[in-house]
């Protein structure tokens, strides 16, 4: 990459991508941040480019025309479909794993088998491609009075292909939906039935340069829609970082015994993982275990992690792309970050959009960073355009102050049907 005056193209349009564009724009090495397709918040950072994440040819053409030095891919779908490979083959530098490496998120069966073959700690599991065999396993499990089961469709299922079944009926219904009625399409051709693990979850993301890793400050996501961890699963309703429950010993254990061996296992297959590897961990009584891997930054995790990164993100991404993470010292602020997601009422189910959003400047004046997700500009006004609309992040020296600052800023914002959880960060107060 050139040393300075860099042109960076961020692919995606969520809170994660706004946080990426925000952090990249702070680098004095960057001249332009382009956002494709971006959102209303990203339009205040850089030029919005009306290209969608799966329009590979247009992304390549734009990168050539505007002399893009680095493409930063936010979401998993284009990575799983091979965007990094397509850009690399055209000589465009890209931050994000190859299609082969992105299988770590794209195929749960691939990942589970990789972990099992290499003795990496995860829940016990069985893979099924026949619904009758899966149903028979389920009946036996519940007849023996064992606990809940987790049922996962193999492929990408827009985050919806995981069911925690408390009883036989729920488990059989999941099999019927995934394998017989194929509501997640080809993702239901193979499924995993997995032991249900109990414990607090933590998101541990690392930068990976193909061989070496540099862990980030960990985060904890609130996945359920309603207070008290009730209701349906969402993409994430809020987050905090760091995670006191992931003590330094557990953190080191997870890096040394789960993440690093995974990179080595991939290398044995000839796959050099470059980008962000996100380990969804569960902190069980027997120590951290891996629930799942994602091939990208988490959302909303990125909205608390990047504000705590002291080092220039461009320097880190360049080290990843050039395979020299060992040559860079990555520093983090010793502070606390909390993000509260403001959603459209009804999310993760049906919701209406197009409502004007007020109070954005007041929320920033209250000391928060306002990351946009589902927003757009219509008739000169910022309006809602998605399920998760905004992420309100506050940073402080204590969690108590960060939570209080985040919620004070939240109170400044108004849009019709606005919904948010009231208990983000309560666990660490
Ligand atoms: N917050 C969960 C995820 O990014 O997958």
């Amino acid at each position: 990459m050139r040393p300075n005056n860099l042109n960076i193209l961020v692919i995606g349009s969520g809170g994660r991508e706004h946080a990426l564009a925000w952090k990249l724009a702070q680098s004095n090495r960057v001249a332009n941040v382009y956002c494709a397709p971006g959102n209303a918040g990203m339009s205040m950072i850089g030029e919005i480019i009306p290209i969608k994440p799966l329009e590979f040819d247009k992304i390549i053409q734009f990168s050539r025309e505007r002399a893009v030095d680095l493409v930063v891919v936010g979401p998993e779908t284009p990575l799983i479909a091979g965007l990094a490979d397509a850009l690399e083959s055209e000589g465009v530098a890209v931050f994000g794993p190859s299609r082969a490496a992105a299988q770590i998120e794209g195929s749960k069966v691939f990942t589970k088998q990789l972990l099992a073959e290499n003795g990496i700690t995860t829940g016990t599991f069985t893979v099924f491609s026949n619904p009758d065999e899966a149903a028979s396993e389920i009946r036996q499990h519940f007849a023996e009075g064992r606990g809940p089961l987790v049922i996962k469709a193999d492929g990408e299922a827009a985050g919806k292909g995981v069911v925690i079944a408390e009883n036989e009926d729920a488990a059989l219904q999941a099999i019927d939906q995934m394998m017989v009625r194929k509501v997640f399409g080809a993702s239901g051709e193979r499924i995993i039935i997995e032991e249900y693990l109990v414990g607090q979850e933590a998101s541990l993301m690392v930068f990976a340069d193909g061989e070496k890793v540099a862990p980030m400050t960990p985060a904890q996501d609130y996945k359920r829609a309603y207070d008290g961890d009730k209701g349906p699963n969402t993409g994430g309703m809020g987050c905090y970082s760091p995670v006191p429950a992931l003590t330094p010993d557990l953190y080191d254990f997870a890096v040394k015994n789960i993440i690093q061996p995974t990179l080595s296992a991939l290398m044995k297959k000839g796959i050099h993982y470059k980008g962000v590897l996100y380990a969804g961990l569960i902190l069980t009584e027997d120590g951290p275990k891996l629930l799942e891997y994602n091939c990208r930054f988490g959302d909303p995790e990125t909205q608390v992690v990047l504000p705590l990164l002291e080092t220039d993100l461009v320097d880190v991404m360049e080290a990843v792309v050039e395979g020299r993470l060992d040559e860079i010292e990555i520093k983090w602020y010793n502070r606390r970050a909390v993000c509260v997601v403001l959603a459209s009422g009804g999310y993760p189910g049906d919701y209406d959009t197009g409502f004007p959003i007020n109070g954005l400047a007041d929320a920033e004046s209250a000391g928060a960073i306002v990351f946009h997700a589902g927003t757009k500009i219509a008739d000169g006004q910022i309006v809602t355009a998605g399920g998760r609309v905004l992420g309100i992040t506050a940073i402080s020296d204590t969690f108590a102050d960060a939570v209080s600052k985040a919620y004070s800023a939240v109170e400044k914002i108004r849009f019709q049907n606005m919904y948010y959880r009231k208990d983000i960060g309560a666990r660490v107060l």
Side-chain angles (χ1 to χ4, degrees):
M1 272 163 64
R2 293 180 296 148
N4 284 314
N5 288 324
L6 299 175
N7 296 323
I8 303 205
L9 171 61
V10 176
I11 304 290
S13 58
R16 165 184 51 213
E17 287 78 18
H18 188 180
L20 281 163
W22 171 85
K23 191 74 188 174
L24 290 164
Q26 288 169 16
S27 170
N28 56 20
R29 297 182 58 194
V30 171
N32 295 294
V33 177
Y34 300 113
C35 308
N39 56 38
M42 293 168 83
S43 73
M44 293 173 232
I45 294 175
E47 190 181 337
I48 293 292
I49 312 300
I51 298 178
K52 298 199 183 91
L54 289 173
E55 293 180 321
F56 290 7
D57 289 346
K58 290 186 184 172
I59 292 171
I60 290 166
Q61 191 187 345
F62 176 85
S63 300
R64 284 214 193 98
E65 282 170 9
R66 299 288 187 101
V68 167
D69 296 283
L70 180 68
V71 178
V72 177
V73 186
E76 64 277 16
T77 304
L79 292 166
I80 292 168
L83 177 56
D85 313 62
L87 285 162
E88 258 182 14
S89 69
E90 296 293 331
V92 181
V94 55
F95 180 88
S98 65
R99 180 184 182 144
Q103 286 181 91
I104 203 106
E105 177 163 2
S107 169
K108 294 185 174 67
V109 172
F110 168 84
T111 302
K112 279 292 197 181
Q113 286 172 343
L114 184 82
L115 298 173
E117 281 160 18
N118 291 277
I120 300 167
T121 174
T122 183
T124 52
F125 69 98
T126 317
V127 179
F128 292 92
S129 49
N130 177 320
D132 295 331
E133 286 171 15
S136 149
E137 162 80 14
I138 285 167
R139 287 196 189 93
Q140 187 178 342
H141 176 93
F142 285 104
E144 288 170 5
R146 293 189 265 148
L149 279 177
V150 185
I151 301 173
K152 296 178 173 173
D154 178 33
E156 221 193 330
K160 293 185 184 137
V162 178
V163 171
I164 297 166
E166 304 276 347
N167 53 47
E168 184 179 310
D169 283 352
L172 293 175
Q173 199 182 346
I175 296 298
D176 183 58
Q177 278 195 336
M178 291 178 191
M179 302 188 84
V180 181
R181 288 192 286 124
K182 297 243 164 51
V183 294
F184 304 122
S187 291
E189 272 161 23
R190 288 192 297 179
I191 59 112
I192 289 172
I193 298 186
E194 193 179 330
E195 123 185 73
Y196 176 70
L197 297 170
V198 180
Q200 274 195 52
E201 291 184 26
S203 306
L204 179 51
M205 302 187 284
V206 301
F207 294 105
D209 73 357
E211 291 180 16
K212 303 165 289 293
V213 301
M216 302 186 210
T217 177
Q220 195 167 79
D221 182 19
Y222 286 74
K223 291 208 168 67
R224 300 294 191 108
Y226 312 137
D227 287 8
D229 293 328
K230 303 274 188 325
N233 262 337
T234 68
M237 294 298 293
C239 223
Y240 62 81
S241 177
V243 181
L246 190 65
T247 60
D249 281 354
L250 295 179
Y251 178 92
D252 287 346
F253 177 91
V255 173
K256 288 200 184 95
N257 296 288
I258 299 177
I259 296 175
Q260 189 68 65
T262 303
L263 266 284
S264 305
L266 287 170
M267 272 192 283
K268 278 198 278 175
K269 287 185 177 291
I271 299 172
H272 288 258
Y273 192 106
K274 283 189 172 200
V276 168
L277 179 62
Y278 160 161
L281 300 175
I282 183 151
L283 310 179
T284 73
E285 280 185 349
D286 304 328
K289 291 192 179 184
L290 184 88
L291 286 177
E292 62 176 12
Y293 274 124
N294 294 313
C295 65
R296 48 160 175 95
F297 281 99
D299 194 1
E301 286 91 331
T302 308
Q303 300 176 56
V304 288
V305 169
L306 288 185
L308 295 178
L309 175 63
E310 190 179 340
T311 308
D312 187 329
L313 181 57
V314 175
D315 293 346
V316 181
M317 289 186 163
E318 184 180 53
V320 165
V321 171
E322 295 175 359
R324 44 174 192 77
L325 259 183
D326 51 336
E327 291 175 19
I328 176 170
E329 188 195 358
I330 301 179
K331 290 192 186 155
W332 299 91
Y333 296 112
N334 182 17
R335 304 196 79 198
R336 311 286 173 258
V338 172
C339 172
V340 179
V341 169
L342 307 186
S344 297
Y347 171 80
D350 295 338
Y351 53 82
D352 293 323
T353 58
F355 299 124
I357 305 172
N358 294 304
L360 292 164
D362 293 341
E364 281 176 354
S365 303
I369 312 167
V370 177
F371 290 121
H372 289 231
T375 68
K376 67 175 185 185
I377 299 177
D379 299 328
Q381 160 95 50
I382 297 178
V383 301
T384 65
R388 290 189 292 176
V389 176
L390 299 166
I392 309 299
T393 296
I395 313 289
S396 190
D397 290 333
T398 64
F399 275 120
D401 196 45
V403 168
S404 152
K405 259 167 86 176
Y407 278 107
S408 301
V410 164
E411 280 166 21
K412 310 280 182 209
I413 295 189
R414 292 168 307 284
F415 57 86
Q416 198 174 317
N417 297 347
M418 177 169 116
Y419 171 75
Y420 60 94
R421 277 183 65 158
K422 315 283 186 300
D423 61 348
I424 305 300
R427 205 178 281 140
V428 282
L429 293 184

